[in-house]
């Protein structure tokens, strides 16, 4: 009966959800059969593509009121609990304390001591998860996207697995392993030659996901000079291969050069080359089934998510700068006229060009709107066209012909 109470009130956007979900997991979670079975399940759920909401959430029957980020939070916590069970036979009272100590070691090199109060531990974990699950601010296009999920989130699980062995120097491992991911993927992107829109979107997501500041660049290390010695355990090996497969599979066409790259990677990872074909089959089946849901494969869907998540940001900026905007609009008769016309008919190409130029001038005049002048910001100018007339109707009524 208690389980159903927790299911009814659990909401990963509300304080206290970590402790409630821990109670639920104690009654619901099963011991993993093996690392191989666990990893296969994570692949099937979409973990490797940063789209965990594709999987069902253990113990939660109704997800209709949950958004994408809430589903990711619960799924990631479930995955961390499964890693914990690889080293313990149950989700005991120490789970939250141990998980928090891991993140303190990862983020502060172990210089902080974990607090004892369980509720405080849960609250601190909620804050940590909120920051780690999403893109680092200021990277790529992430300042327009409110809930894009960190594509490299699985590395947290590999580090947690090591830490539970125990394994010291976890902070150093995380940085070196992430560096290796970017080094070998830089080769994969280089082999693709001319990059498609999907390739660029995937690259942007990877770059924005780096917590150590790494980016996909021209390869600057020979294969033998990369840090392969940091790869010791199964999760770490499989994941490096699957990230490579993810890059080469965006166009569902593997060239001879890409095949050689994958075979060379398998040698350095000391894994059977048969895993390449098996991995390609699994990944292509997953991508084909979920293509519309994966942002870097769905250009239209990606832009829709950007516009959807950016609307609230734009409205907030306009409302906070209402007085200054009204003054500027009163000085921009042509812009006001054209924006007013855009609500009644489609503007022609020349009119659209004038609107874009004058909107950019408007953004320069209002410091808080300078964000629209950043790379990618002009893509969102249509949102200004949409909201200015509706938020400031008096300015447009006074300037109607």
């Amino acid at each position: 009966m208690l389980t159903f109470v927790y299911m009814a009130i659990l909401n990963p956007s509300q304080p206290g959800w970590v402790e409630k979900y821990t109670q639920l997991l104690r009654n619901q979670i099963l011991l993993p059969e093996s690392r191989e079975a666990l990893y296969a399940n994570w692949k099937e759920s979409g973990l490797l593509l940063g789209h965990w909401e594709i999987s069902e959430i253990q113990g939660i029957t109704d997800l209709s009121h949950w958004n994408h980020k809430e589903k990711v939070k619960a799924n990631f916590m479930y995955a961390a609990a499964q890693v914990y069970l690889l080293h313990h036979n149950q989700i005991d009272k120490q789970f939250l304390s141990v998980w928090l100590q891991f993140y303190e070691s990862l983020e502060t090199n172990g210089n902080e001591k974990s607090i004892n109060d369980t509720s405080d531990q849960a609250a601190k974990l909620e804050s940590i998860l909120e920051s780690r699950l999403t893109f680092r601010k200021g990277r790529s296009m992430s300042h327009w996207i409110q809930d894009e999920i960190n594509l490299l989130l699985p590395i947290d699980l590999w580090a947690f697995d090591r830490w539970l062995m125990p394994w010291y120097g976890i902070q150093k491992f995380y940085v070196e392993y992430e560096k290796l991911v970017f080094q070998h993927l830089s080769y994969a992107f280089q082999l693709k030659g001319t990059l498609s829109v999907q390739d660029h979107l995937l690259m942007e997501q990877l770059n924005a996901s780096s917590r150590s500041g790494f980016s996909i660049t021209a390869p600057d290390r020979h294969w033998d000079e990369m840090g392969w010695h940091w790869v010791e355990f199964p999760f770490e090996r499989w994941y490096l291969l699957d990230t490579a497969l993810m890059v080469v599979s965006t166009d569902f066409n593997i060239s001879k050069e890409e095949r050689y790259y994958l075979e060379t990677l398998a040698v350095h990872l000391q894994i059977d080359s048969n895993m390449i074909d098996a991995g390609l089959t699994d990944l292509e089946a997953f991508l084909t089934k979920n293509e519309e849901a994966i942002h870097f494969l769905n250009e239209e869907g990606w832009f829709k998510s950007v516009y959807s998540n950016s609307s609230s940001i734009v409205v907030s900026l306009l409302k906070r700068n209402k007085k200054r905007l009204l003054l500027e609009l009163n000085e921009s008769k042509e812009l006001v006229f054209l924006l007013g016309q855009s609500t009644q008919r489609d503007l022609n190409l020349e009119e659209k060009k004038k609107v874009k130029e004058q909107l950019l001038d408007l953004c320069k005049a209002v410091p808080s709107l300078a964000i629209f002048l950043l790379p990618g910001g002009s893509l969102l100018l249509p949102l200004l066209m949409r909201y200015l007339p509706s938020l400031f109707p008096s300015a447009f009524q006074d300037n109607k012909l």
Side-chain angles (χ1 to χ4, degrees), residues 16-31:
W17 77 270
V18 163
E19 191 168 2
K20 292 172 184 175
Y21 196 42
T22 301
Q23 294 291 334
L24 179 60
L25 290 179
R26 287 174 184 162
N27 298 315
Q28 296 283 336
I29 198 167
L30 300 175
L31 287 171

Side-chain angles (χ1 to χ4, degrees), residues 140-141 189 192-207 216 250 296 302:
S140 187
M141 288 289 292
F189 277 105
K192 295 180 78 69
T194 302
L195 301 182
S196 66
V197 172
Q198 288 76 16
D199 293 324
H200 281 291
L201 292 179
L202 174 56
M203 187 184 299
E204 285 188 358
Q205 282 195 275
L206 286 166
N207 290 343
I216 300 296
T250 55
F296 66 80
W302 184 83

Side-chain angles (χ1 to χ4, degrees), residues 160-212:
F160 188 38
D161 187 33
R162 276 197 180 226
W163 193 79
L164 289 168
M165 291 181 183
W167 198 92
Y168 301 100
I170 202 65
Q171 192 179 63
K172 178 68 172 176
F173 162 76
Y174 189 97
V175 173
E176 294 297 330
Y177 185 84
E178 189 182 89
K179 180 194 295 185
L180 183 56
V181 169
F182 279 89
Q183 285 178 336
H184 88 82
L185 289 185
S186 292
Y187 274 98
F189 277 105
Q190 184 184 58
L191 288 173
K192 295 180 78 69
T194 302
L195 301 182
S196 66
V197 172
Q198 288 76 16
D199 293 324
H200 281 291
L201 292 179
L202 174 56
M203 187 184 299
E204 285 188 358
Q205 282 195 275
L206 286 166
N207 290 343
S209 296
S210 173
R211 304 200 67 83
S212 307

Side-chain angles (χ1 to χ4, degrees), residues 32-42 82-83 85-87 158 160-162 164-165 233-236 238:
E33 295 179 10
S34 64
R35 278 179 167 78
E36 290 83 353
L38 192 55
Y39 189 82
N41 179 261
W42 287 339
Q82 290 177 306
V83 171
L85 288 176
L86 291 172
H87 304 268
W158 317 155
F160 188 38
D161 187 33
R162 276 197 180 226
L164 289 168
M165 291 181 183
F233 303 107
F235 288 150
E236 301 158 10
W238 301 332

Side-chain angles (χ1 to χ4, degrees), residues 308-322:
S308 173
N309 292 323
S310 301
S311 294
S312 60
I313 299 175
V314 173
V315 171
S316 178
L317 283 171
L318 295 180
K319 286 181 176 180
R320 286 203 303 265
N321 294 276
K322 183 175 182 178

Side-chain angles (χ1 to χ4, degrees), residues 346-380:
D346 291 335
L347 300 182
N348 60 41
L349 291 178
E350 184 178 352
E351 289 172 329
K352 289 179 180 179
K353 182 179 179 181
K354 287 182 179 179
V355 167
K356 180 177 180 180
E357 292 173 350
Q358 294 188 43
L359 282 176
L360 289 175
D361 288 338
L362 181 67
C363 294
K364 293 175 184 177
V366 182
S368 296
L369 299 185
I371 191 170
F372 287 93
L373 305 176
L374 295 173
S378 61
L379 294 173
L380 301 174

